[in-house]
Amino acid sequence: MTTQQVLLLLLLWMWLSHRCHTEMLFRRTPDLRPKSFWGRSSGNDGKAVHRQKRGWMWNQFFLLEEYTGSDYQYVGKLHSDQDKGDGSLKYILSGDGAGTLFIIDEKTGDIHATRRIDREEKAFYTLRAQAINRRTLRPVEPESEFVIKIHDINDNEPTFPEEIYTASVPEMSVVGTSVVQVTATDADDPSYGNSARIIYSILQGQPYFSVEPETGIIRTALPNMNRENREQYQVVIQAKDMGGQMGGLSGTTTVNITLTDVNDNPPRFPQSTIHLRVPESSPVGTAIGSVKATDADTGKNAEVEYKIIDGDGTDMFDIVTQKATQEGIIIVRKPLDYETRRLYTLKVEAENTHVDPRFYYLGPFKDTTIVKISVEDVDEPPIFSRSSYLFEVHEDIELGTIIGTVMARDPDSASSPIRFSLDRHTDLDRIFNIHSGNGSIYTSKPLDREISQWHNLSVIAAEINNPKDTTRVPVYVRILDVNDNAPQFAVFYDTFVCENARAGQLIQTISAVDKDDPLGGQKFFFSLAAVNPNFTVQDNEDNTARILTRRNGFSRHEISTYLLPVVISDNDYPIQSSTGTLTIRVCACDSRGNMQSCSAEALLLPAGLSTGALVAILLCIIILLVIVVLFAALKRQRKKEPLILSKEDIRDNIVSYNDEGGGEEDTQAFDIGTLRNPAAIEDKKLRRDIIPETLFVPRRTPSAPDNTDVRDFINQRLKEHDTDPSAPPYDSLATYAYEGNDSIAESLSSLESGTTEGDQNYDYLREWGPRFNKLAEMYGGGESDKDTS
């Protein structure tokens, strides 16, 4: 027999031994309300025993839940003081579950429960009872309300809302540190007995954790639990009802507890001395190696900051903390030189960035190591004495003149000789050259500042023993100006003089330009190459000059154009000069000096025909041309319109195709074979002389047999043209000029002659009559001559 069955029998015995309150008595009272209560015990052979009125609730019945008997469970008895026992009264029950869950014996008033009742579903039922006269059906007692309360038994075990809990607690926590609270619930009645009184205990997890029996709070039980030794714990908590006594029901849950990290471990270098190597050619910023201190902590508690605190290489090297890997990266701070120093010593410190004051006693939270860095020798390229060179040279120097020298040395201890060269990509015209041994740069072509004022060269220096390692240096050559260009007219001048000009009249202002650029600025002088009786030059002394007339009146009939040579000189050394020629035209001008005409053809026009008349004649000609063009366009448009406007308008249209051809070897002429082979003819195209209103798909006719007579073929084509819906609705006659297949005279052409003339006999030409005698002499005589020869 299980514990639950024993407990159930015990509760059933207790209930049966205390049923004295399960009988209700109704007595008639002036206010029709029951005033007394008496009960009947099953142990007195059914005889009523009167008792004293007590101060308890008379209108309540109690029923034990989870009844397991085979008969209906007895609840209690209703009885009225009007009941004489003769069966004249009838008891009626109504309310919650009346007639289904609860039934009453209408004669005796006994109430029974028909099935098991679960208090967790419903804790009490409210019913109403009434006694009526069976014959008259009139109530003998007023309707009274009473309650059937379900007594709880311990039939539900405690349950946790979660099967597995997850919690964490910092490592090194003191004993009694709260971790998490777990709470179980019991569906039994907490107000009745100990069925719902829960006590917590720990089944697994000692001696590290404990649990408070009443509250379910889990606490640490051991001091200084170290995460680095063990991080995960699994604790099993039991919740038991009945106050934890024997026979109570229980439930369990699992709590996974993780020790979180605290900074209780300082960083430690695995080695006291670390050796690194670096080539002397490593540029500034190159990472040459790394150091790393180990920390048993995790997360921010393991973060370390590296720094160089001592050593003879503090100015040559630096260290950077790599956050992702928690390493210290050592980088080059200044250029290294194996010939200067070959070994550096650094003292590197690693320190935690987040220190917990509670664990200062475990410190210090830092460590140091010695880093020795060896510089390795590298065959370095040559080094120039300067980072760049600037040379200035005049443009008139002689070829082969040295304009400057570059210098370079080998920084290695071997000190190899240096070879110099020019990068020809920077001197495509090969204007300069360099001496490979001493680095002297000289000219190989003439210089011209006006073509290029600057030359940007690149000189390459390489060791003779190791030509692969090279160094470049920029060389800037500035070409200085020399006065080697004569001044010229600034622009082309279109100068004219009026026929009615007066002496001293200004006809043109001239200026000059010079490609040179003297330091003192440009200064030009203007003069005439020789004395001119018609014009003169007046220098304005501001690099401009004026051209003036020297006499009154000019005539186009006599001279229409004058050439005036003007000498332009500069003031630099050596002085350069040039002669520019002005072309001066003689033009007809109005009274204000505005040019009207300079052409000689104007002199041939009639004297009475003015310019206005000429313009009017020109406009008339243009208008006539426009009218002619419009008339031609309208006429062409009319030709494009359809020749008929209705299908009833039928007229003849003869289309003639006259193609004489060019003989048998004329491949561009019309091929008569097309007429013989209709299959080679392309699809018919629509007429292009008009635009049909409706386009029809051309009808493809079947091909004629290969040996069909050409005349039948032409007749068939004419018939197709007549019945073609896409053609205009009028008759169309297509003429095909065809000579035929047979000819009595056959062909007279010599184009089809064979390659050998011996096969041809032209004697029959003499038989044709006098008209063919000439041909007979030509062909016959030629053949006889050929034979005699």
Side-chain angles (χ1 to χ4, degrees):
M1 184 176 295
T2 62
T3 304
Q4 293 182 353
Q5 291 175 344
V6 173
L7 180 61
L8 184 60
L9 292 175
L10 179 61
L11 292 176
L12 182 60
W13 174 83
M14 292 174 62
W15 174 73
L16 292 175
S17 62
H18 294 83
R19 291 185 56 192
C20 60
H21 62 283
T22 60
E23 193 167 297
M24 186 178 299
L25 176 66
F26 294 94
R27 291 192 305 171
R28 186 179 300 279
T29 57
D31 56 359
L32 298 180
R33 297 179 64 86
K35 296 294 186 178
S36 60
F37 179 89
W38 63 277
R40 175 176 295 171
S41 175
S42 61
N44 296 325
D45 300 330
K47 296 181 180 179
V49 178
H50 293 279
R51 295 184 180 180
Q52 297 293 330
K53 183 178 180 180
R54 299 181 181 179
W56 53 359
M57 294 280 305
W58 63 267
N59 58 348
Q60 280 192 357
F61 288 134
F62 297 92
L63 184 64
L64 194 65
E65 69 169 333
E66 302 295 345
Y67 173 72
T68 58
S70 59
D71 298 332
Y72 288 165
Q73 185 179 5
Y74 181 73
V75 178
K77 184 179 183 62
L78 297 177
H79 188 73
S80 174
D81 57 359
Q82 299 296 323
D83 190 357
K84 304 300 183 181
D86 55 359
S88 60
L89 295 183
K90 179 180 180 181
Y91 295 95
I92 299 175
L93 188 66
S94 62
D96 293 342
T100 56
L101 179 58
F102 300 103
I103 59 175
I104 187 171
D105 190 335
E106 61 181 15
K107 293 181 179 181
T108 62
D110 293 330
I111 303 174
H112 290 82
T114 60
R115 59 177 176 83
R116 292 175 56 183
I117 298 177
D118 189 359
R119 189 202 66 84
E120 285 70 38
E121 293 181 1
K122 192 172 178 115
F124 62 91
Y125 295 86
T126 303
L127 295 95
R128 292 180 297 278
Q130 191 174 28
I132 63 173
N133 189 289
R134 189 179 296 274
R135 292 179 300 171
T136 63
L137 300 179
R138 297 181 64 182
V140 297
E141 293 283 355
E143 186 178 53
S144 298
E145 185 176 85
F146 64 96
V147 175
I148 299 177
K149 188 173 183 181
I150 309 302
H151 269 178
D152 182 46
I153 65 172
N154 190 18
D155 59 342
N156 292 280
E157 70 275 2
T159 59
F160 290 92
E162 297 182 15
E163 294 183 2
I164 297 178
Y165 289 84
T166 301
S168 62
V169 63
E171 64 174 332
M172 308 298 289
S173 297
V174 298
V175 176
T177 301
S178 176
V179 180
V180 68
Q181 182 179 13
V182 294
T183 304
T185 59
D186 196 323
D188 294 326
D189 189 1
S191 63
Y192 181 76
N194 294 328
S195 299
R197 184 187 174 193
I198 299 175
I199 297 298
Y200 300 94
S201 61
I202 184 169
L203 300 182
Q204 177 183 326
Q206 300 97 340
Y208 308 103
F209 299 95
S210 63
V211 63
E212 293 184 357
E214 300 290 339
T215 62
I217 298 176
I218 301 175
R219 299 182 182 275
T220 58
L222 281 182
N224 301 327
M225 286 192 295
N226 196 341
R227 184 198 64 85
E228 287 71 36
N229 296 333
R230 183 177 177 181
E231 184 177 4
Q232 299 289 338
Y233 295 87
Q234 190 176 73
V235 179
V236 179
I237 302 296
Q238 182 189 63
K240 190 174 184 181
D241 59 11
M242 298 297 293
Q245 299 299 321
M246 183 179 297
L249 304 178
S250 64
T252 60
T253 188
T254 301
V255 182
N256 293 326
I257 301 176
T258 303
L259 295 183
T260 58
D261 184 59
V262 297
N263 192 7
D264 58 340
N265 294 280
R268 291 289 181 262
F269 282 105
Q271 298 174 344
S272 60
T273 303
I274 301 174
H275 294 274
L276 299 175
R277 296 181 178 273
V278 56
E280 64 172 333
S281 60
S282 300
V284 175
T286 302
I288 64 175
S290 64
V291 296
K292 184 175 183 180
T294 59
D295 195 325
D297 298 321
T298 60
K300 69 176 183 179
N301 297 320
E303 292 182 359
V304 178
E305 186 72 25
Y306 297 91
K307 56 185 176 181
I308 300 175
I309 58 175
D310 198 5
D312 55 10
T314 55
D315 59 334
M316 301 298 295
F317 301 93
D318 201 355
I319 190 168
V320 177
T321 302
Q322 188 74 26
K323 296 296 182 181
T325 60
Q326 289 298 305
E327 293 180 330
I329 309 299
I330 299 177
I331 60 176
V332 179
R333 188 175 181 180
K334 291 183 179 180
L336 303 174
D337 188 5
Y338 173 82
E339 289 72 26
T340 303
R341 186 161 190 170
R342 304 180 181 182
L343 180 66
Y344 295 91
T345 302
L346 304 175
K347 186 175 184 180
V348 178
E349 179 185 75
E351 182 179 10
N352 280 138
T353 56
H354 300 86
V355 181
D356 195 333
R358 297 177 300 172
F359 305 105
Y360 278 156
Y361 67 93
L362 299 175
F365 288 86
K366 57 185 176 181
D367 195 15
T368 59
T369 188
I370 300 299
V371 179
K372 293 186 177 181
I373 303 174
S374 300
V375 180
E376 297 180 342
D377 187 25
V378 175
D379 190 5
E380 301 173 84
I383 299 176
F384 283 95
S385 60
R386 300 180 190 175
S387 60
S388 63
Y389 293 87
L390 173 63
F391 300 137
E392 293 183 345
V393 59
H394 286 87
E395 61 178 327
D396 61 345
I397 62 173
E398 297 180 358
L399 295 181
T401 302
I402 297 176
I403 63 173
T405 303
V406 297
M407 299 179 63
R409 64 177 181 86
D410 184 8
D412 298 323
S413 56
S415 186
S416 300
I418 307 300
R419 179 186 299 274
F420 299 93
S421 62
L422 275 176
D423 185 355
R424 288 305 175 184
H425 292 90
T426 61
D427 185 26
L428 297 176
D429 296 331
R430 297 183 176 269
I431 299 176
F432 302 94
N433 212 335
I434 188 171
H435 193 282
S436 61
N438 57 23
S440 299
I441 301 175
Y442 56 92
T443 59
S444 58
K445 288 185 179 180
L447 304 178
D448 191 349
R449 188 198 69 87
E450 286 70 39
I451 296 177
S452 179
Q453 187 175 357
W454 286 91
H455 295 273
N456 300 325
L457 308 177
S458 179
V459 177
I460 304 173
E463 298 180 13
I464 295 179
N465 299 331
N466 187 11
K468 294 182 179 180
D469 292 335
T470 61
T471 306
R472 294 171 178 264
V473 67
V475 178
Y476 307 105
V477 181
R478 180 182 180 184
I479 310 301
L480 301 179
D481 185 38
V482 174
N483 191 25
D484 57 348
N485 291 280
Q488 298 176 351
F489 282 130
V491 295
F492 173 77
Y493 294 101
D494 185 11
T495 308
F496 71 92
V497 61
C498 296
E499 289 182 313
N500 55 358
R502 301 297 180 185
Q505 183 176 345
L506 174 65
I507 63 173
Q508 184 70 59
T509 300
I510 59 175
S511 62
V513 292
D514 195 335
K515 294 181 179 180
D516 296 322
D517 189 14
L519 298 177
Q522 299 285 3
K523 179 64 177 178
F524 301 123
F525 302 96
F526 300 89
S527 62
L528 292 179
V531 177
N532 192 295
N534 302 310
F535 306 97
T536 185
V537 174
Q538 183 177 357
D539 197 334
N540 296 328
E541 297 183 358
D542 60 354
N543 293 339
T544 62
R546 297 185 297 171
I547 307 299
L548 305 175
T549 59
R550 296 189 63 181
R551 64 184 179 87
N552 297 328
F554 294 87
S555 175
R556 286 181 293 169
H557 298 281
E558 298 176 358
I559 300 177
S560 61
T561 303
Y562 293 90
L563 299 179
L564 181 65
V566 179
V567 179
I568 310 172
S569 304
D570 56 21
N571 65 335
D572 203 359
Y573 180 82
I575 295 176
Q576 301 287 341
S577 63
S578 65
T579 300
T581 302
L582 284 177
T583 300
I584 304 174
R585 295 180 298 159
V586 180
C587 301
C589 302
D590 56 12
S591 59
R592 297 182 180 180
N594 298 322
M595 180 182 64
Q596 291 183 341
S597 176
C598 295
S599 59
E601 289 79 359
L603 299 175
L604 304 178
L605 296 176
L609 196 59
S610 63
T611 303
L614 292 176
V615 173
I617 293 172
L618 183 60
L619 289 176
C620 291
I621 294 173
I622 292 174
I623 292 172
L624 289 175
L625 289 176
V626 170
I627 292 173
V628 171
V629 171
L630 290 176
F631 180 79
L634 291 175
K635 187 175 181 181
R636 182 177 299 175
Q637 186 68 23
R638 290 178 180 177
K639 289 182 178 181
K640 291 183 179 181
E641 294 179 356
L643 298 178
I644 60 174
L645 300 178
S646 65
K647 295 182 179 180
E648 289 76 17
D649 188 4
I650 300 175
R651 61 189 72 177
D652 293 338
N653 179 28
I654 298 176
V655 180
S656 177
Y657 297 88
N658 296 322
D659 187 359
E660 185 177 359
E664 295 177 352
E665 295 183 358
D666 186 5
T667 58
Q668 302 299 326
F670 179 79
D671 186 10
I672 194 65
T674 303
L675 297 177
R676 300 180 180 273
N677 185 14
I681 303 177
E682 297 180 354
D683 293 340
K684 293 185 300 184
K685 300 181 181 179
L686 300 178
R687 292 175 59 91
R688 292 182 294 177
D689 58 338
I690 64 170
I691 301 176
E693 297 179 359
T694 304
L695 296 178
F696 296 88
V697 179
R699 179 173 56 86
R700 182 180 297 273
T701 58
S703 301
D706 295 339
N707 297 325
T708 303
D709 188 65
V710 175
R711 287 174 295 183
D712 295 338
F713 168 73
I714 293 175
N715 293 331
Q716 182 180 357
R717 282 286 181 262
L718 290 175
K719 183 178 180 181
E720 290 174 1
H721 279 290
D722 293 337
T723 58
D724 189 3
S726 61
Y730 49 81
D731 293 339
S732 175
L733 178 60
T735 301
Y736 295 87
Y738 175 62
E739 184 179 0
N741 292 327
D742 299 325
S743 176
I744 298 176
E746 297 182 349
S747 176
L748 298 180
S749 173
S750 62
L751 299 177
E752 295 181 354
S753 300
T755 56
T756 59
E757 296 181 359
D759 297 335
Q760 301 292 335
N761 186 5
Y762 300 99
D763 293 335
Y764 61 89
L765 295 176
R766 302 182 183 274
E767 301 175 359
W768 286 4
R771 296 183 179 181
F772 297 93
N773 290 336
K774 188 65 176 179
L775 288 175
E777 293 176 0
M778 292 174 59
Y779 285 91
E783 190 173 8
S784 62
D785 294 339
K786 188 174 181 180
D787 295 335
T788 57
S789 64

